[in-house]
Amino acid sequence: MQLKHLNQMPYKHLLVSQELETKIAVVQLNRPQALNALCFELMDELIEALEALDKNTDVNAVVLTGNEKAFAAGADIKEFAERNVTQMLLEDRLSQWKRIEAISKPLVAAVSGFALGGGCELMLHCDIVIASETVKLGQPEINIGVMPGAGGTQRLTKLVGKFKAMELVLTGRFIDAKEALELKLVNKIVPVADCLEDAKKLAREIAAKAPIAARAAKAAIRKALETTLDDGLEFERQRFYLLFDTDDKKEGMQAFIEKRKPQWTGK
Ligand code: CAA
């Protein structure tokens, strides 16, 4: 497999690579000395990298991962410890998470070890989650005198319901792989050694589909979590109609009729 390492870009806390044949990219959080805590610099880099990949026409799906010990142990507490309310309001760092929400290509998370606080919230921004047997998820902000601030109270509640969300946010306890699967917080659990490869496999499968259709489908499924059924159905219908102007729609249907494999151009 031909791998292109994109670290000619000056990333201090990320490793970014791209598989040219399969059209996937892998973004690895790489701040192991702090369990991949999401310091401001890392967050800036992550957003820059994801936005660059979102624009890169040689990439159709992105895998986001950490290391075996931690996906990410949350916001960097040492940075937050210095801040007061005025600085938080003026800097408004958390509003930059909207830019991760806005990434239009499918994001597959490969999560091992700790995914806590902002790390769990980062996972919740992804579209599919492959987790390993060692995963420990949680929103432990209550233990340091704050609360989730990057969407945890909202996204977690929509996914697991009010009572479980209350329990997790108010106790800050960690949940293990079995419970994460039961709560439908992750798609599947695999051995640690297989986690990244499984996520890549899934990303390759998705990247081999018609890319504009995949992005439209992602947008429509996300819409379901934030709007009424009527508005969501309207959104879906509009996206569906729009796809009828793509070359890939013509190719996909023609290939079906001619009983051959479609050749997507991503147009
Ligand atoms: N911020 C800054 N540094 C962190 C960190 C964090 N969130 N999590 C871990 N680290 C650092 C530790 O300070 C330690 O550094 P030193 O070696 O320099 O002391 C290093 O990473 C290793 O951590 P531990 O020694 O604590 O490792 P452990 O295996 O004993 O414990 C852990 C692991 C249970 C994850 C523990 O590190 C921990 O509780 N971390 C904090 C988790 C947390 O509270 N996250 C929420 C942050 S707030 C937030 O995320 C707000 C938001 O919504 C945006």
Side-chain angles (χ1 to χ4, degrees):
M1 186 88 61
Q2 207 186 341
L3 260 187
K4 185 173 161 191
H5 291 279
L6 299 182
N7 271 52
Q8 61 267 40
M9 290 187 253
Y11 296 132
K12 189 166 150 197
H13 305 298
L14 302 180
L15 297 170
V16 183
S17 61
Q18 184 184 340
E19 286 182 9
L20 295 175
E21 291 144 58
T22 63
K23 294 201 160 200
I24 69 163
V26 178
V27 177
Q28 182 181 6
L29 308 183
N30 189 33
R31 204 183 164 220
Q33 71 284 8
L35 302 182
N36 289 335
L38 305 167
C39 61
F40 300 144
E41 200 176 32
L42 186 156
M43 283 302 295
D44 290 343
E45 289 187 353
L46 177 61
I47 289 166
E48 189 188 311
L50 290 176
E51 287 181 343
L53 293 171
D54 215 31
K55 289 195 195 96
N56 183 336
T57 48
D58 291 326
V59 172
N60 290 348
V62 178
V63 174
L64 182 59
T65 194
N67 56 49
E68 289 195 359
K69 179 129 199 245
F71 178 67
D76 191 304
I77 300 171
K78 291 164 192 166
E79 278 179 341
F80 272 168
E82 312 268 298
R83 294 288 191 284
N84 62 29
V85 66
T86 312
Q87 287 165 313
M88 290 302 281
L89 285 168
L90 289 177
E91 292 172 4
D92 194 17
R93 299 280 322 187
L94 294 179
S95 67
Q96 71 179 163
W97 287 74
K98 279 189 212 143
R99 291 165 63 189
I100 303 180
E101 174 74 23
I103 298 299
S104 66
K105 292 178 184 172
L107 284 179
V108 180
V111 183
S112 293
F114 298 111
L116 304 174
C120 187
E121 289 164 312
L122 182 59
M123 185 197 91
L124 296 176
H125 276 72
C126 294
D127 302 309
I128 295 181
V129 180
I130 306 300
S132 73
E133 289 157 349
T134 61
V135 82
K136 293 264 177 285
L137 304 179
Q139 296 290 160
E141 291 90 342
I142 196 87
N143 296 326
I144 52 168
V146 287
M147 59 178 272
T153 62
Q154 305 304 299
R155 289 197 181 85
L156 191 67
T157 307
K158 284 185 197 292
L159 290 175
V160 303
K162 173 182 137 182
F163 295 133
K164 268 290 166 193
M166 287 283 185
E167 179 191 330
L168 295 176
V169 171
L170 297 180
T171 67
R173 87 174 164 85
F174 301 168
I175 61 175
D176 64 11
K178 183 170 169 282
E179 191 174 0
L181 192 62
E182 279 165 12
L183 289 175
K184 299 196 172 77
L185 269 175
V186 301
N187 289 69
K188 78 174 187 179
I189 301 291
V190 298
V192 184
D194 299 341
C195 189
L196 180 57
E197 198 44 48
D198 251 63
K200 285 195 205 170
K201 215 164 116 193
L202 192 62
R204 287 182 197 120
E205 187 181 339
I206 294 168
K209 309 290 179 193
I212 301 178
R215 288 160 83 163
K218 164 174 171 162
I221 292 170
R222 291 191 152 222
K223 201 63 162 177
L225 294 172
E226 62 197 41
T227 193
T228 61
L229 180 60
D230 255 6
D231 287 350
L233 291 172
E234 181 59 28
F235 184 91
E236 180 191 76
R237 230 175 358 258
Q238 295 308 325
R239 289 298 181 282
F240 183 78
Y241 294 152
L242 279 177
L243 293 175
F244 278 65
D245 204 27
T246 62
D247 292 350
D248 282 345
K249 171 264 170 189
K250 290 169 201 121
E251 167 63 8
M253 296 196 180
Q254 200 55 38
F256 173 80
I257 292 163
E258 292 169 12
K259 300 187 187 301
R260 61 174 173 81
K261 233 180 131 202
Q263 299 294 319
W264 309 122
T265 58
K267 295 199 173 121

